[in-house]
C-alpha cells in the first residue's frame, strides 16, 4: 500500500476516534455542570475541563477572555477557527477520507461524507438549538457507524490495519487523558478512596462517558472509586476502551504487518503491551497515578512517531 | 446544415420514436410526484456519495454536483453500430497518424497536412520523435464528441486524446437509473456498460509487454476538477491511485513508495497533462509530476497512457484533416463526418469568420471545457465585438464552425419535460484491439436554448441507452 494512502487512512481513523472522544469529554462535563456545584457555583469549571484536557484553554482565553458557558461549548464543538474543535476533527477526517476514497469502501466514504454534510447543518443551527446531549450522541452514533462499516466492509489487508492502528492509538491516548483529568480534580483535594456523593457522581460520569459504567457494575459490583476505576480503564483488557485493550490490539496488528521496516514500532508496541499486561493497580498507585499516566502518554507518542517513520512518511 | 432541431424522442410530426415508446408509456403512467421524489433521491444519493467536480477559478474549491437528469437518452442499436464503427475507425486513424508524425512523417511528406501545422504545434513533442511505443498505440483512451444535426446526421465535434474525462459519470448515471427505476430495465433490453473499468484495465495491461504489469492511476491530486473520477477508476480497477509525490525514479525505473518499501510501476494511466509530468523535462514549476519520469519512459521502462504528445492530434487546427487521415492510413471513407471548419489562420477563412461572427461558434484551438469560446447566436453585441478583437489579435489560435443545431431530448425540469440540447461522448479504448462499451456520456445543456453542454458551464448529464431495435 502507498505510504501516503496508509497515512491518510491512519489519520482519518484517528480524527474520527478523536471526534468521538471529544464528544465523550463534552458529555461528561456538560452533565456534571448541571449538578449542584460546591463552592464555585455555576459549573463553569466543569465546562472548562474539556478545554483543559485538550490543551486549548489558553487559546480560548486569548480569544474570549473569560469563561462563558455558551462560548466555551461553541469553541470546543463547532468553532471553525479553533483547529482542535470537534468540527475541525470531522473536517480533517473527511479530507483524509476524500484523499483515499479510491481505497475505502463506498459504505465508509458515504458515512464520513454524510457526517460532514450533517455537521455543516448543525454548525449552521448552533449548538444550543441542536441540543448538547443530542449533539454528543450524534457524534458517537456517527463514529459507531464508521466503525461498523469498517469492520463489516473493509478487506482485511493493510488498509484495515492502518485504520485500526489510528483508532486504537487515539483511543488509548484519550482514555488516559480523561482519567488523568478527573483524577487530578478529585485526588488533589481528597483521598483516592473517597466515599462522598461527589466522588460517586464524578467517577460514574467518567465511566458513562467512556461507555464503561455497565462494565464497572458487572466487574466490581460496588460504587466507583479511583483505584477500581483506574484499574478498569488502564489494566482490564476486557474493556474495549481500556489502555490494556488498545495496546493488545496495536501490538497484534503491528506484529501482523509484513516487511522489516517496522521493527522499532513493533518492538515498542510489544514492550508497552507487556508492561501494562503484567502490572497490577497497586504498583500504579505506588508510582503515582498521575505520573504513571503521563509516562504512558509519552510512550504512546513515541509509538506514534515510530509508526510514522516506519510506514507513513513519504520520504 | 439545417436549422431545425432533431429531437431524440419525438419525430417531426410529434410521434414518439419506436425505441422510446416503452419509456413514454412508463413516463405517462408514473405520477409526477413519484418522479419528482425519485429525482430528489438521486440528488441526495449523489451528494452523499460525493460524486462531485470542482470549478476552476473558484477559490474555495467548492464541490458541486453535476446535475443528473432522470430522462435517459436512448438510441437504437442500429444507429449505435454506425457510431461504434465510425469512432473505432477514427481513433485507429488518429493513432496511425501519431505513430507516423513521430516517425517517418509520411503524411507530411505527401503534403496532405502542411508540415508547420504539425511540427510548429505547441503540442507536438519533439522528445517523442523516433520513440517506438508498444503496439504503436498513443491514445489508449479517447473520447469522441458527437452531435446530431437537424437532419439526424451525427457529426464529430472534436476528438479528445489527452486525458478525456466523464466516464465515471457515464457509469454512475447508469447505476443511479438502475437504482431509481429498475422497472425500466426489466421492460426493455438496454446494453450494459458496467464492464468499462474492466475493459480499461485490460487495455492498460495490454499496453505493456509484461505478463502482469503493475498499473496505477496518476492524479494531480484531490483539488483537481476530475479527482472523483480518478479515484473512482482506481477503485473500480483495484489499482493504486498515486500522486507525483508517491513516485520516484531510480536507474530509469519508476517506483512507488509503499508501506512495504519501493515497488516498481509498469503502466501509468496518467490524468495530468504532458507539461506537468516531469519538472526536469517539461514545466520546471510543476510540483505534480515526477523528476526523471520522461527518462524512464524513453528507456521503455514504464508505459504512459496516454502517450506523451497525443495533443497534437486532437488540436482543433488538426481536426479538419482527420477525414484525410482516415483515407490516407486506412484507405477507407470516413464513416462519421466532420463539422465544416474555418481555420482562422487562413486569411480567406478569417475574413469569412469575421463577417459572420453572429452565426458562428468560434473556439480556441487549444481550449477545452467550453472556456474561451464564442457562441455567436447566443452572444450579445458587446460580447461579439470583444471577441472580434481577440480573434484579430491572434487568428491562428482560433477555428470557427457553423452553429450546429444540436439535437434535443426531453429533460426533467420543474416537473415538465422541456427539450434541451445534448451531445454524446463515447469512450474508445485501444489495446490489442480498438473497442468501446455500448454507450457514452450524454451531456445536456440545462439552460433553455443553450448549446453549451460542459459541466463547467451549467451542463448536466443523462444516462445513455443503447436499445435493441423495435419492429
Amino acid at each position: 500500500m502507498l505510504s501516503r494512502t496508509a497515512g491518510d487512512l491512519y489519520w482519518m481513523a484517528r480524527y474520527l476516534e478523536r471526534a468521538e472522544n471529544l464528544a465523550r469529554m463534552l458529555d461528561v462535563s456538560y452533565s456534571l455542570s448541571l449538578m449542584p456545584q460546591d463552592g464555585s457555583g455555576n459549573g463553569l469549571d466543569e465546562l472548562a475541563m474539556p478545554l483543559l484536557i485538550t490543551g486549548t484553554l489558553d487559546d480560548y482565553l486569548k480569544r474570549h477572555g473569560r469563561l462563558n458557558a455558551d462560548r466555551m461549548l461553541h469553541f470546543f464543538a463547532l468553532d471553525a477557527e479553533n483547529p482542535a474543535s470537534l468540527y475541525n476533527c470531522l473536517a480533517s477526517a473527511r479530507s483524509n477520507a476524500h484523499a483515499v476514497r479510491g481505497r475505502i469502501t463506498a459504505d465508509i466514504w458515504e458515512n464520513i461524507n454524510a457526517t460532514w454534510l450533517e455537521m455543516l447543518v448543525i454548525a449552521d443551527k448552533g449548538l444550543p438549538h441542536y441540543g448538547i446531549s443530542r449533539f454528543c450522541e450524534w457524534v458517537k452514533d456517527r463514529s459507531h457507524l464508521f466503525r461498523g462499516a469498517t469492520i463489516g466492509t473493509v478487506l482485511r489487508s493493510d488498509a484495515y490495519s492502518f485504520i485500526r492502528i489510528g483508532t486504537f492509538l487515539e483511543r488509548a491516548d484519550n482514555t488516559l487523558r480523561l482519567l488523568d483529568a478527573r483524577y487530578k480534580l478529585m485526588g488533589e483535594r481528597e483521598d483516592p478512596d473517597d466515599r462522598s456523593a461527589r466522588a460517586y457522581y464524578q467517577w460514574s460520569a467518567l465511566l458513562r462517558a467512556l461507555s464503561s459504567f455497565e462494565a464497572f457494575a458487572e466487574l466490581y459490583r460496588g460504587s466507583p472509586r479511583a483505584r477500581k476505576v483506574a484499574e478498569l480503564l488502564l489494566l482490564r483488557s476486557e474493556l474495549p476502551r481500556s489502555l490494556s485493550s488498545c495496546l493488545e490490539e496495536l501490538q497484534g496488528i503491528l506484529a501482523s504487518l509484513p516487511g522489516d521496516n517496522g521493527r522499532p514500532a513493533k518492538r515498542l508496541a510489544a514492550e508497552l503491551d507487556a508492561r501494562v499486561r503484567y502490572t497490577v493497580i497497586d504498583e500504579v498507585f505506588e508510582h503515582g497515578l498521575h505520573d504513571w499516566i503521563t509516562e504512558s502518554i509519552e510512550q504512546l507518542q513515541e509509538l506514534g512517531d515510530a509508526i510514522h517513520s516506519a510506514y507513513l512518511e513519504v520520504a | 446544415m439545417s436549422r431545425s432541431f432533431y429531437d431524440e424522442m419525438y419525430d417531426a410530426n410529434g410521434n414518439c420514436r419506436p425505441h422510446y415508446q416503452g419509456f413514454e408509456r412508463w413516463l405517462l403512467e408514473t405520477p409526477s410526484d413519484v418522479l419528482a421524489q425519485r429525482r430528489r433521491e438521486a440528488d441526495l444519493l449523489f451528494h452523499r456519495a460525493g460524486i462531485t467536480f470542482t470549478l476552476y477559478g473558484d477559490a474555495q474549491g467548492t464541490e458541486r454536483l453535476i446535475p443528473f437528469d432522470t430522462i435517459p437518452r436512448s438510441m437504437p442499436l442500429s444507429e449505435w453500430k454506425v457510431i461504434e464503427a465510425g469512432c473505432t475507425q477514427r481513433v485507429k486513424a488518429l493513432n496511425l497518424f501519431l505513430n507516423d508524425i513521430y516517425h517517418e512523417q509520411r503524411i507530411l511528406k505527401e503534403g496532405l497536412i502542411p508540415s508547420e501545422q504539425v511540427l510548429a504545434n505547441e503540442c507536438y513533442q519533439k522528445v517523442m520523435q523516433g520513440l517506438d511505443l508498444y503496439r504503436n498505440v498513443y491514445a489508449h483512451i479517447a473520447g469522441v464528441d458527437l452531435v446530431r444535426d437537424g437532419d439526424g446526421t451525427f457529426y464529430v465535434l472534436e476528438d479528445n486524446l489527452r486525458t478525456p474525462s466523464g466516464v465515471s459519470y457515464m457509469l454512475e448515471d447508469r447505476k443511479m437509473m438502475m437504482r431509481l427505476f429498475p422497472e425500466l430495465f426489466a421492460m426493455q433490453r438496454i446494453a450494459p456498460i458496467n464492464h468499462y473499468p474492466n475493459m480499461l484495465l485490460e487495455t492498460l495491461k495490454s499496453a505493456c509487454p509484461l505478463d502482469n504489469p503493475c498499473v496505477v492511476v496518476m492524479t494531480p491530486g484531490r483539488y483537481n476538477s476530475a479527482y472523483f473520477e480518478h479515484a473512482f477508476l482506481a477503485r473500480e480497477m483495484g489499482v493504486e491511485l498515486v500522486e507525483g509525490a508517491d513516485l520516484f525514479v531510480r536507474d530509469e525505473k519508476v517506483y512507488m513508495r509503499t508501506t512495504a518499501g519501493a515497488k516498481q510501476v509498469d503502466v501509468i494511466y496518467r490524468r495530468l497533462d504532458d507539461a506537468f509530468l516531469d519538472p526536469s523535462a517539461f514545466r520546471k514549476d510543476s510540483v505534480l509530476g515526477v523528476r526523471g519520469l520522461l527518462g524512464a519512459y524513453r528507456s521503455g521502462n514504464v508505459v504512459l497512457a496516454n502517450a506523451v504528445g497525443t495533443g497534437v492530434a486532437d488540436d482543433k487546427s488538426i481536426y479538419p484533416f482527420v477525414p484525410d487521415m482516415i483515407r490516407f492510413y486506412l484507405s477507407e471513407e470516413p464513416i462519421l463526418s466532420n463539422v465544416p471548419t474555418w481555420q482562422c489562420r487562413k486569411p480567406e477563412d478569417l475574413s469569412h469568420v469575421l463577417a459572420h461572427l453572429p452565426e458562428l461558434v468560434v473556439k480556441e484551438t487549444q481550449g477545452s471545457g467550453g472556456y474561451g469560446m464564442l457562441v455567436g447566436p447566443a452572444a450579445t453585441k458587446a460580447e461579439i465585438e470583444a471577441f472580434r478583437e481577440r480573434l484579430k489579435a491572434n487568428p491562428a489560435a482560433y477555428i470557427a464552425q457553423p452553429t450546429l443545431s444540436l439535437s434535443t431530448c426531453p429533460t426533467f425540469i420543474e416537473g415538465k419535460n422541456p427539450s434541451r440540447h445534448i451531445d454524446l461522448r463515447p469512450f474508445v479504448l485501444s489495446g490489442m484491439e480498438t473497442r468501446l462499451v455500448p454507450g457514452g456520456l450524454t451531456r445536456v445543456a440545462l439552460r433553455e436554448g443553450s448549446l453549451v453542454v460542459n459541466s463547467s458551464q451549467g451542463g448536466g448529464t443523462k444516462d445513455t441507452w443503447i436499445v435493441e431495435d423495435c419492429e
Side-chain angles (χ1 to χ4, degrees), chain A residues 195-214:
Chain A
R195 286 162 192 275
S196 68
R198 178 166 169 274
Y200 171 83
Y201 284 113
Q202 289 278 341
W203 290 120
S204 59
L206 174 66
L207 288 170
R208 276 186 220 280
L210 291 170
S211 303
S212 307
F213 188 77
E214 295 82 354

Side-chain angles (χ1 to χ4, degrees), chain A residues 293-303:
Chain A
I293 289 177
T294 308
E295 285 160 26
S296 298
I297 290 175
E298 283 161 7
Q299 284 156 347
L300 283 175
Q301 178 70 42
E302 269 173 54
L303 178 58

